[in-house]
Amino acid sequence: MLFRPKRQESHSNMTPPTEATLPQIKPKGWGLLVRDQQELIAWAAHILLMTLFCAFLVGFFSQQQSQWMTERRTAAASEAQLARFIIEQSLNRGDYASLPPLIQAWAVQRPDIAELTVTASNGARLASHHRDVGAHPLLTVRQEAHYSFRGAASITLRLDISRIDEQANALRWQLIAAFGVILFGSTTLLHLLLQRRRHVLSLAEQSRHLNETNHSLSEEIAQRARAEQERQRADRNWKALSRCGEAMIRATNEEELLTEVCRIIVDVANYRMAWVGYGDESDGERRILPKAKWGHEMGYLREVTVGWGDNALGNGPGGTAYREGRTVAVLDTQKDPDFAPWRAEALKRGYHAVLGLPLKEAGHTFGVLMINSAHPAPFGVEERQLLEDLAGDLAFGIVALRESTRVREAERSLLRSNEELEERVASRTRQLSDSLERLQRTQAQLVDAERIASLGNLVAGVAHEINTPLGVGVTALSHLQNLNTEARDAMAQGNLKKSHLTRYFEDADMMLHSLDRSLRRSSQLVRNFKLVSTDTGETEAKEINLHDFLAEFADTARRQCKKTGVVITVECPEDLLITSFPNSLTHVLTNLHINAMEHGFEGRESGEILLRAHRDNPEAPLTLLFQDNGRGMSEEQVRQIFEPFYTTKRHLGGTGLGMMAVYNIVTHLLGGSIHCHSAPDQGAQFLITLTPKETVQT
């Protein structure tokens, strides 16, 4: 016995990375200064204070520089007033010649005077003084000097204010230095404070991280312990799976196989108890009946009832697995609500978890494998997969074992059939001989009664046709006897091989089929007198106008039954042409007319017969309806009307071959079909359907 290959599963002891083992991402950019929202607020406040302090320094510098310029303008105005006073005295004395030396001498004593120019009202320059001061900034002051006899003079005084710029630059650098010192100090202080805070927070974070790491390590140790337990269970399950495969090879009957698999599951895979049950509903209740068990059962299966219907007893792991065809696990029998009907008995025997595995054949579940564990939640993913493989192998082994048993029984049955076959063939041959003898007697009776003029040709034809199937049957029977002899000799000598047996079965099937076909053919020839009414002498089909043909037949029929009061009506297109055998078609209509007159209108003084022909197009079938409103027929009569020798007028000389002849002509010669529809007092309808190729070549 073969068993299914196992799926190879990969095992891995790798554990998922914990937080302690994950790489730490270093901050970049602003992340070096800002770690959280509080630090961001501190830096924002620091930047705002530095901005306000910088604005204060800029305002102070601008105010100081403006004050210096105001003082210098005041001093320049005083200088200009003094120069005006000196010039007015010189001009009032009229001493214009001494004015330039005087201005020169006065200006030399004041090194901040860059230029002093005295211009008369008429534009003439009275005196001037210039000193090269480079590109220093200058302050210009103008005064009007008034003197006698000459009117007024204009005084232009330009003073060097580079000292004010030097003072401003010195003050600017002082302010910048002060701002830099304060900015550096405050930034350093803030950074130190934030570093201190980070250090404190880091200590707390490290403490929390250590706690989490310890917790993670504890969980990892527990996971490793569980993984080791699962690995041990997986190893035991692999061993059980292998042992079950060996048991399937050695098993000779189904009960032995089921018991051995349950024992391996308990002893090798270390489960509490295992049992196998098959679905049953013979008494109207859907239950799962135990077939084999092993382990700490202690009467458990006698105390509980496991069903597979849609109710409380069918919603457990076994019933659900059987009904839905899937694996169902109860990981804790104390808590699972669906396990309530079996909880008390299960806990008494230490069943804390249950696994139900369906046993399937060609997609149909026929049983379940139930595994009870002494520990809650033992069925991991890999363990469950292995147990599903084991259940699949068990189902495969059961099916294979049943098939092997059926094959052995079939072999024994075949041997018995071979022995009975000879007796049946001999009996059938005797029956065939008796049938032939009865046929010959029937032939003599028909000839003597002169009911069918061509019955002599019938006997000759039947005798000629029956020789062929009888010869084939005798040959097949002889060959089958030789096969039986060879098979018995080979079996007696111990040389019977599977190939010999296979060839024997093939040849025997072929010979039996040939023999059966020959016997059926012979019986058919004996029962059916096909040539009685179909031998019309026609060898070629002719094209006929069906309307004229039916009209001519109706006229002939009216003349024959003009005293009966039967009216015959024809409904047919005038241009409807068909290719058929006119004599055969006349024979069919004549038999139908005779049947209507003798049976349908018996005891009646009037009646109606309708002949209707119709065809939708040249490719469509031709429909020919023969209908009367006579007495009609019962359902039993309609069913037997085309059978040979069936007649209700046998006491009046009826042979029951007329409607058989109609059926044979329509179906064999004309290649169509005929159906009868009737009911008591509802008349009879004969519907003839002919395909576009209405004829069959003879």
Side-chain angles (χ1 to χ4, degrees):
M1 181 185 302
L2 300 177
F3 57 92
R4 302 186 308 166
K6 313 297 185 298
R7 287 196 295 265
Q8 297 296 330
E9 301 289 345
S10 61
H11 303 276
S12 175
N13 294 325
M14 297 179 62
T15 58
T18 61
E19 183 180 356
T21 61
L22 292 175
Q24 302 296 323
I25 301 176
K26 296 183 178 180
K28 297 181 180 180
W30 280 98
L32 294 172
L33 298 176
V34 180
R35 299 293 180 87
D36 54 23
Q37 186 176 2
Q38 293 182 355
E39 293 190 5
L40 179 63
I41 295 174
W43 280 110
H46 176 261
I47 292 173
L48 179 61
L49 291 176
M50 290 299 100
T51 302
L52 294 176
F53 182 69
C54 181
F56 169 75
L57 293 182
V58 171
F60 175 76
F61 173 76
S62 300
Q63 182 182 4
Q64 190 67 27
Q65 189 177 24
S66 176
Q67 182 179 353
W68 286 339
M69 288 298 297
T70 302
E71 291 177 356
R72 189 62 184 128
R73 287 191 182 93
T74 303
S78 299
E79 294 285 346
Q81 289 287 346
L82 181 57
R84 182 176 65 83
F85 177 74
I86 294 173
I87 293 170
E88 285 181 350
Q89 288 182 350
S90 298
L91 294 177
N92 286 332
R93 290 195 303 268
D95 189 4
Y96 297 103
S98 61
L99 185 58
L102 180 61
I103 292 300
Q104 184 71 24
W106 183 76
V108 170
Q109 297 176 1
R110 290 169 173 75
D112 55 344
I113 297 178
E115 179 183 353
L116 178 59
T117 304
V118 180
T119 307
S121 58
N122 58 0
R125 179 176 293 185
L126 300 179
S128 64
H129 170 75
H130 294 277
R131 177 183 298 165
D132 186 13
V133 294
H136 293 173
L138 301 177
L139 177 63
T140 302
V141 180
R142 298 181 185 276
Q143 288 287 342
E144 296 291 334
H146 301 275
Y147 56 93
S148 303
F149 312 113
R150 295 286 185 180
S154 175
I155 301 173
T156 301
L157 180 63
R158 289 184 172 87
L159 302 177
D160 180 11
I161 58 173
S162 59
R163 287 180 298 174
I164 295 177
D165 288 343
E166 292 176 358
Q167 292 176 353
N169 290 333
L171 179 60
R172 182 184 296 111
W173 286 110
Q174 290 174 3
L175 293 178
I176 291 174
F179 178 76
V181 171
I182 293 174
L183 177 62
F184 176 76
S186 61
T187 303
T188 303
L189 179 61
L190 179 61
H191 182 68
L192 292 176
L193 291 176
L194 293 179
Q195 284 290 98
R196 177 65 179 173
R197 178 179 176 275
R198 291 174 185 171
H199 180 66
V200 174
L201 293 179
S202 177
L203 291 178
E205 179 68 18
Q206 290 178 5
S207 177
R208 183 187 64 82
H209 184 68
L210 288 175
N211 292 333
E212 292 179 353
T213 302
N214 290 334
H215 180 68
S216 176
L217 289 176
S218 300
E219 290 186 349
E220 184 175 357
I221 293 173
Q223 290 178 359
R224 289 181 179 273
R226 289 193 296 270
E228 179 63 21
Q229 294 177 358
E230 292 180 358
R231 186 191 64 79
Q232 293 177 358
R233 285 199 296 268
D235 291 341
R236 292 194 297 268
N237 290 333
W238 273 113
K239 289 182 180 179
L241 192 60
S242 177
R243 296 280 184 87
C244 288
E246 297 174 359
M248 292 175 198
I249 296 175
R250 295 192 302 267
T252 57
N253 60 75
E254 187 171 335
E255 182 179 358
E256 175 187 348
L257 173 61
L258 297 180
T259 303
E260 180 63 14
V261 169
C262 292
R263 186 195 67 78
I264 292 173
I265 292 174
V266 173
D267 295 345
V268 179
N270 197 25
Y271 289 103
R272 186 76 172 169
M273 193 267 286
W275 62 281
V276 176
Y278 291 164
D280 178 75
E281 54 180 342
S282 58
D283 56 355
E285 296 184 3
R286 297 181 173 182
R287 296 185 300 170
I288 297 178
L289 302 180
K291 296 298 181 182
K293 62 181 183 295
W294 195 272
H296 298 273
E297 190 266 341
M298 296 180 292
Y300 175 75
L301 298 178
R302 293 195 304 271
E303 299 294 334
V304 301
T305 300
V306 180
W308 58 277
D310 192 8
N311 50 39
L313 293 178
N315 290 331
T320 305
Y322 185 90
R323 184 176 60 255
E324 300 181 5
R326 61 180 179 89
T327 301
V328 180
V330 174
L331 301 182
D332 194 342
T333 56
Q334 294 184 1
K335 300 178 180 179
D336 196 307
D338 293 334
F339 199 74
W342 309 276
R343 180 176 293 119
E345 297 297 330
L347 294 178
K348 288 180 182 179
R349 296 161 178 83
Y351 306 155
H352 292 280
V354 180
L355 185 68
L357 301 160
L359 303 177
K360 299 181 179 180
E361 176 185 5
H364 172 70
T365 303
F366 65 89
V368 290
L369 170 62
M370 303 299 299
I371 301 176
N372 297 342
S373 175
H375 307 285
F379 307 110
V381 176
E382 183 178 1
E383 182 178 5
R384 187 178 301 185
Q385 182 63 56
L386 291 175
L387 293 175
E388 289 177 352
D389 289 343
L390 189 149
D393 289 347
L394 176 58
F396 182 81
I398 293 172
V399 173
L401 195 59
R402 290 177 178 177
E403 185 64 25
S404 177
T405 302
R406 282 196 293 268
V407 170
R408 289 195 297 269
E409 292 178 353
E411 291 175 354
R412 290 192 293 267
S413 176
L414 181 60
L415 293 176
R416 291 193 299 269
S417 299
N418 290 336
E419 295 174 355
E420 296 173 357
L421 182 59
E422 295 180 0
E423 298 179 1
R424 289 202 299 269
V425 170
S427 175
R428 188 61 176 171
T429 303
R430 289 191 297 271
Q431 293 176 3
L432 187 58
S433 300
D434 295 340
S435 298
L436 183 58
E437 185 178 353
R438 285 195 300 271
L439 178 61
Q440 293 172 350
R441 288 197 301 269
T442 302
Q443 176 191 358
Q445 294 173 0
L446 290 175
V447 171
D448 294 339
E450 295 182 355
R451 294 189 179 120
I452 302 177
S454 60
L455 192 55
N457 295 332
L458 170 65
V459 175
V462 170
H464 174 74
E465 292 292 332
I466 205 170
N467 284 332
T468 300
L470 284 178
V472 174
V474 171
T475 302
L477 180 60
S478 176
H479 185 65
L480 187 60
Q481 290 174 343
N482 293 334
L483 290 177
N484 284 336
T485 301
E486 293 175 0
R488 288 195 186 95
D489 294 340
M491 184 171 62
Q493 297 174 5
N495 297 330
L496 186 60
K497 298 181 180 179
K498 181 179 180 181
S499 59
H500 296 161
L501 190 59
T502 302
R503 187 167 60 252
Y504 168 77
F505 288 156
E506 294 174 352
D507 293 345
D509 289 340
M510 183 173 62
M511 293 300 102
L512 288 174
H513 177 71
S514 177
L515 183 59
D516 180 72
R517 183 174 58 188
S518 299
L519 293 176
R520 289 179 182 274
R521 175 62 177 168
S522 300
S523 178
Q524 183 71 18
L525 290 173
V526 171
R527 290 195 311 268
N528 298 334
F529 295 81
K530 293 190 292 185
L531 298 180
V532 170
S533 299
T534 60
D535 187 10
T536 60
E538 292 181 292
T539 59
E540 295 183 359
K542 301 178 182 179
E543 185 179 66
I544 58 176
N545 185 305
L546 190 58
H547 177 272
D548 297 341
F549 177 83
L550 295 179
E552 182 179 355
F553 171 79
D555 291 340
T556 303
R558 290 189 191 99
R559 289 194 297 269
Q560 294 177 355
C561 59
K562 58 183 179 180
K563 296 181 180 181
T564 61
V566 176
V567 178
I568 301 177
T569 305
V570 176
E571 296 181 1
C572 178
E574 295 183 356
D575 58 348
L576 181 57
L577 301 178
I578 66 171
T579 302
S580 184
F581 298 103
N583 292 339
S584 300
L585 193 55
T586 301
H587 194 174
V588 169
L589 296 176
T590 300
N591 275 280
L592 293 177
H593 178 253
I594 293 174
N595 186 71
M597 298 303 296
E598 291 183 354
H599 301 279
F601 299 122
E602 182 182 11
R604 297 192 178 190
E605 297 180 356
S606 63
E608 295 181 1
I609 294 177
L610 174 63
L611 285 174
R612 177 184 296 161
H614 173 72
R615 183 163 64 183
D616 295 334
N617 55 71
E619 300 297 329
L622 172 68
T623 301
L624 179 60
L625 175 66
F626 186 98
Q627 177 178 329
D628 66 67
N629 63 346
R631 298 170 56 186
M633 294 176 285
S634 65
E635 183 179 353
E636 180 70 18
Q637 291 173 331
V638 171
R639 188 171 61 253
Q640 301 182 30
I641 189 169
F642 296 119
E643 293 183 1
F645 303 112
Y646 175 75
T647 178
T648 60
K649 301 290 185 178
R650 190 175 300 280
H651 61 286
L652 297 178
T655 62
L657 297 176
M659 297 307 297
M660 181 194 72
V662 169
Y663 181 84
N664 289 339
I665 292 173
V666 172
T667 58
H668 293 85
L669 185 62
L670 301 182
S673 62
I674 182 170
H675 299 280
C676 177
H677 304 279
S678 181
D681 297 325
Q682 298 296 324
Q685 291 182 354
F686 292 90
L687 184 63
I688 300 173
T689 303
L690 303 179
T691 59
K693 296 179 180 180
E694 295 90 358
T695 65
V696 176
Q697 295 298 327
T698 60

